[in-house]
C-alpha cells in the first residue's frame, strides 16, 4: 500500500454515499421483490405464494429494511420484457426513487435474455438500485459482480433456447402423429369431452353455419359481422363486437370441414417470440378427417371458390375487363350494382334450403 504524502490529508468516505454498502446503511432500506411463474396452473400459483411468503418474512427479519411492494407476472416468458407489466412497473418505480433493493429468486426468474439482464442491472446500478439474485448469490450493488452476472445470465439464456428447441420438437412430433392442437375456449364450434376428444358444440356450430349461409347469400364479411351484432350473437370469447377479419378467418378455416392444417405459423426466434405465417419456410402437416365437421365439404369448397371469386373481382385489372365479364354474365345486373356500405358488387346467389334451390 502506497504511503500518503505528508502534505495530503485523506478525507474519509461516507459509507452512506457508497452504493456498494447499501445493505449497511443505517437508514431504512426500501426493498421490493420480484417473482415470475411461467404458467397459470395451480402448482405455479403455489410456487408464487411460497416465494411471496419467503420474501416478506426475509424483509421482516432485517430491522433496517422496509417492504415497498411485491411484483409478479404470471404465465409470461422471461426472454423479453415487452409484456411483463409488473416487471416494467417495478423498473419505473425504481427510476422514480421508490426502491433501493430488488430481491429475486434467480437470474432466470428475472430475465432469460443476457442483454436485458445486463442492461437493466447497469441502468439500476447507475441510480443506486441493487438487485440480489439469491440462487447465484449475486448483488449488483457490488461493482465486481458483472462478470459473474454475465456468465450466469448467458447460461439462463442458453437454457431458454434449449427449452424452446425441445418445445418445437414436441410440437413436431405431435403434428406427425396427427394430434390436433386446438384451444377450444378461443375456437368457435368445438369443446372437448372427458377424454380430451374434440366434440361439436351445437350452439356455437349454429353460428358457424349461419355465417356460411350469409356469406354464400352474397353478404360481405363486414355485413355478416354487423348482422351477428344485430342478432345479439356473441363471439366465442363473449364479446358483443365482431371483427370482419374474424368472419374471414372462420370462412377460411378448414377445420370446420373436418380437416386440419398444422404448422401455419412458426416462431422466428426464441428471444422475441415473434411468430410469422409459414409460406413454405417450414413443413406443414395436413390431418384429414380427424375433426367432426360442422360444414359439409361441398359447402366449404363453395365458400373457398366464392372467396377466390370475390378477390379476383376486387383486384381485376381494368374496367374494360370487368365490363367484359358483366356482358357475358347470365344475369343482366351482375357486377353492376354496388353495396353502399362495403362497395361489394351484387350478384345472384342460390342457397339450397329443404332440398330446394332458392335464389337470394
Amino acid at each position: 500500500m502506497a504511503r500518503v504524502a505528508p502534505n495530503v490529508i485523506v478525507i474519509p468516505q461516507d459509507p452512506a454515499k457508497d452504493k456498494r454498502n447499501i445493505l449497511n446503511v443505517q437508514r431504512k432500506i426500501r426493498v421490493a421483490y420480484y417473482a415470475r411463474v411461467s404458467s397459470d396452473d395451480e402448482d405455479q400459483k403455489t410456487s408464487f405464494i411460497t416465494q411471496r411468503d419467503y420474501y416478506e418474512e426475509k424483509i421482516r427479519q432485517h430491522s433496517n429494511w422496509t417492504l415497498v411492494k411485491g411484483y409478479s407476472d404470471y404465465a409470461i416468458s422471461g426472454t423479453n420484457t415487452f409484456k411483463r407489466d409488473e416487471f416494467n412497473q417495478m423498473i419505473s418505480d425504481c427510476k422514480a426513487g421508490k426502491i433501493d433493493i430488488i430481491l429475486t429468486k434467480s437470474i432466470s426468474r428475472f430475465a432469460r435474455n443476457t442483454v436485458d439482464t445486463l442492461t437493466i442491472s447497469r441502468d439500476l446500478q447507475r441510480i443506486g438500485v441493487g438487485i440480489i439474485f439469491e440462487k447465484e448469490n449475486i448483488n449488483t450493488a457490488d461493482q465486481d459482480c458483472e462478470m459473474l452476472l454475465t456468465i450466469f445470465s448467458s447460461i439462463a439464456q442458453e437454457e431458454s433456447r434449449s427449452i424452446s428447441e425441445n418445445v418445437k420438437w414436441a410440437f413436431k412430433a405431435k403434428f406427425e402423429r396427427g394430434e390436433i392442437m386446438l384451444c377450444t375456449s378461443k375456437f368457435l364450434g368445438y369443446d372437448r369431452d372427458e377424454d380430451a376428444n374434440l366434440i361439436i358444440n351445437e350452439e356455437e356450430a349454429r353460428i358457424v353455419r349461419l355465417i356460411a349461409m350469409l356469406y354464400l347469400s352474397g353478404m360481405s364479411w363486414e355485413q355478416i359481422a354487423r348482422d351477428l351484432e344485430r342478432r345479439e350473437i356473441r363471439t366465442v370469447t363473449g364479446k358483443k363486437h365482431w371483427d370482419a377479419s374474424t368472419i374471414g378467418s372462420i370462412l377460411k378455416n378448414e377445420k370446420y370441414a373436418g380437416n386440419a392444417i398444422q404448422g401455419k405459423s412458426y416462431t422466428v426466434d426464441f428471444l422475441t417470440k415473434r411468430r410469422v405465417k409459414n409460406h413454405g419456410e417450414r413443413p406443414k402437416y395436413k390431418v384429414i378427417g380427424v375433426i367432426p365437421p360442422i360444414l359439409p365439404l361441398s359447402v366449404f369448397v363453395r365458400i373457398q371458390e366464392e372467396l377466390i371469386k370475390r378477390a379476383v373481382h376486387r383486384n381485376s385489372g381494368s374496367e374494360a375487363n370487368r365490363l367484359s365479364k358483366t356482358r357475358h354474365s347470365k344475369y343482366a345486373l351482375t357486377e353492376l350494382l354496388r353495396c353502399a356500405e362495403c362497395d361489394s358488387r351484387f350478384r345472384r346467389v342460390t342457397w339450397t334450403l329443404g332440398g330446394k334451390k332458392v335464389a337470394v
Side-chain angles (χ1 to χ4, degrees):
M1 183 176 178
R3 289 186 176 182
V4 178
N7 62 336
V8 175
I9 299 174
V10 178
I11 302 174
Q13 71 186 64
D14 181 354
K17 301 296 184 182
D18 189 342
K19 296 173 183 177
R20 293 173 296 179
N21 295 324
I22 192 169
L23 298 181
N24 300 317
V25 177
Q26 295 305 307
R27 66 174 176 83
K28 286 281 187 178
I29 306 300
R30 299 163 300 176
V31 183
Y33 64 86
Y34 177 72
R36 179 181 62 82
V37 292
S38 54
S39 68
D40 209 16
D41 59 31
E42 288 303 318
D43 289 342
Q44 292 290 355
K45 289 179 181 178
T46 302
S47 171
F48 167 70
I49 293 170
T50 302
Q51 290 180 62
R52 181 197 65 192
D53 293 345
Y54 167 78
Y55 284 123
E56 291 184 359
E57 177 60 28
K58 184 181 181 71
I59 292 169
R60 280 195 294 269
Q61 289 173 0
H62 288 75
S63 59
N64 64 330
W65 284 13
T66 181
L67 173 64
V68 176
K69 184 182 175 182
Y71 301 83
S72 60
D73 287 305
Y74 281 96
I76 300 294
S77 168
T79 52
N80 62 64
T81 62
F82 300 130
K83 297 181 180 180
R84 293 160 67 188
D85 295 336
E86 286 278 288
F87 181 91
N88 292 325
Q89 182 61 53
M90 177 179 69
I91 301 303
S92 296
D93 289 345
C94 288
K95 292 178 179 179
K98 299 178 181 179
I99 298 170
D100 296 315
I101 295 174
I102 297 171
L103 300 178
T104 191
K105 181 180 178 181
S106 65
I107 290 173
S108 64
R109 292 294 92 190
F110 190 79
R112 288 185 181 272
N113 183 323
T114 304
V115 174
D116 281 349
T117 302
L118 295 177
T119 300
I120 293 168
S121 65
R122 288 168 183 165
D123 288 345
L124 295 182
Q125 197 176 61
R126 277 192 287 270
I127 58 176
V129 178
I131 308 169
I132 297 177
F133 301 101
E134 292 213 301
K135 180 180 177 181
E136 294 83 3
N137 194 26
I138 293 175
N139 178 5
T140 62
D142 182 353
Q143 299 292 323
D144 301 324
C145 76
E146 183 148 323
M147 180 177 290
L148 281 175
L149 186 61
T150 303
I151 292 171
F152 281 114
S153 60
S154 297
I155 292 172
Q157 179 172 306
E158 179 58 24
E159 180 185 357
S160 183
R161 186 201 63 78
S162 177
I163 291 171
S164 176
E165 291 300 318
N166 289 339
V167 170
K168 287 180 182 178
W169 181 89
F171 274 114
K172 181 175 180 291
K174 288 182 178 181
F175 292 163
E176 290 175 346
R177 290 195 299 267
E179 295 183 26
I180 304 302
M181 311 298 293
L182 183 64
C183 178
T184 56
S185 63
K186 295 183 179 180
F187 194 85
L188 190 69
Y190 292 97
D191 290 326
R192 289 190 182 273
D193 62 17
E194 60 275 9
D195 298 318
N197 297 314
L198 285 171
I199 57 174
I200 294 176
N201 179 318
E202 285 300 335
E203 184 177 350
E204 294 180 359
R206 282 196 291 271
I207 302 172
V208 175
R209 297 185 187 109
L210 174 62
I211 290 170
M213 183 191 73
L214 293 175
Y215 185 70
L216 289 178
S217 73
M219 293 178 68
S220 67
W221 300 356
E222 184 68 28
Q223 288 172 322
I224 295 172
R226 303 293 75 80
D227 187 79
L228 294 178
E229 290 173 0
R230 283 191 292 270
R231 296 171 189 251
E232 298 184 346
I233 295 174
R234 300 202 173 215
T235 68
V236 68
T237 55
K239 296 178 181 178
K240 294 180 180 179
H241 175 73
W242 285 80
D243 288 324
S245 60
T246 300
I247 303 300
S249 298
I250 291 171
L251 292 169
K252 295 175 183 178
N253 201 305
E254 74 288 340
K255 293 182 180 67
Y256 292 119
N259 303 320
I261 297 175
Q262 304 195 98
K264 293 179 181 178
S265 63
Y266 64 95
T267 302
V268 177
D269 71 84
F270 71 97
L271 289 176
T272 65
K273 303 294 183 184
R274 186 169 67 90
R275 293 189 69 81
V276 298
K277 287 185 178 181
N278 182 4
H279 296 293
E281 299 87 352
R282 301 286 189 278
K284 294 181 184 178
Y285 303 84
K286 185 172 183 178
V287 190
I288 300 172
V290 293
I291 302 175
I294 290 175
L295 298 175
L297 182 59
S298 59
V299 172
F300 181 75
V301 169
R302 284 177 59 197
I303 291 171
Q304 306 318 299
E305 291 173 346
E306 183 65 17
L307 287 165
I308 294 171
K309 186 188 298 183
R310 295 193 196 186
V312 168
H313 284 307
R314 282 195 304 270
N315 301 319
S316 57
S318 68
E319 188 68 9
N321 287 338
R322 187 189 64 76
L323 291 174
S324 175
K325 294 174 187 176
T326 301
R327 284 195 297 269
H328 289 87
S329 174
K330 181 179 178 181
Y331 304 102
L333 297 179
T334 295
E335 299 294 325
L336 293 179
L337 298 179
R338 286 179 178 270
C339 174
E341 294 183 16
C342 67
D343 200 40
S344 295
R345 299 181 187 277
F346 284 91
R347 65 185 64 82
R348 179 187 174 91
V349 175
T350 59
W351 183 260
T352 302
L353 298 172
K356 297 181 180 180
K357 288 190 175 181
V358 179
V360 292

